[in-house]
């Protein structure tokens, strides 16, 4: 099963990243330890700034899909 998710900045309650995943993909972004190993430097920097302010990005699963193509389209 696939899903589309948002990473939300809790300081302003707005999404700053939208992605498609399956299994535990959504948690990968929050476990990245280095900018060089990140798949998206801008997202990595945003997560670090949120954490520097004492917060943690929120995860919101927007919708589930049986088909990966449908998830890509929705994303």
């Amino acid at each position: 099963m696939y899903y589309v998710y948002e990473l939300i900045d809790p300081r302003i309650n707005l999404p700053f990243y939208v992605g498609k995943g399956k299994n535990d993909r959504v948690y990968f972004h929050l476990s990245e330890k280095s900018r060089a190993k990140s798949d998206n430097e801008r997202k990595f920097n945003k997560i670090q700034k949120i954490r520097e302010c004492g917060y943690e990005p929120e995860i919101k699963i927007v919708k589930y899909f049986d088909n990966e193509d449908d998830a890509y389209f929705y994303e």
Side-chain angles (χ1 to χ4, degrees), residues 20-74:
K20 179 221 48 103
K22 69 177 190 175
N23 301 324
D24 61 354
R25 169 66 179 157
V26 67
Y27 300 105
F28 168 79
H29 305 294
L30 302 181
S31 66
E32 291 177 316
K33 301 294 182 200
S34 117
R35 184 175 291 108
K37 293 182 180 182
S38 175
D39 64 346
N40 181 316
E41 184 176 340
R42 192 173 190 189
K43 173 191 45 78
F44 180 85
N45 291 338
K46 180 74 168 185
I47 291 170
Q48 297 310 309
K49 287 181 182 180
I50 291 169
R51 288 177 169 163
E52 288 170 4
C53 291
Y55 296 94
E56 190 67 18
E58 296 173 5
I59 296 169
K60 179 182 177 185
I61 305 294
V62 178
K63 192 168 182 174
Y64 289 94
F65 300 88
D66 293 325
N67 180 299
E68 184 176 21
D69 289 336
D70 291 341
Y72 270 126
F73 181 77
Y74 191 83

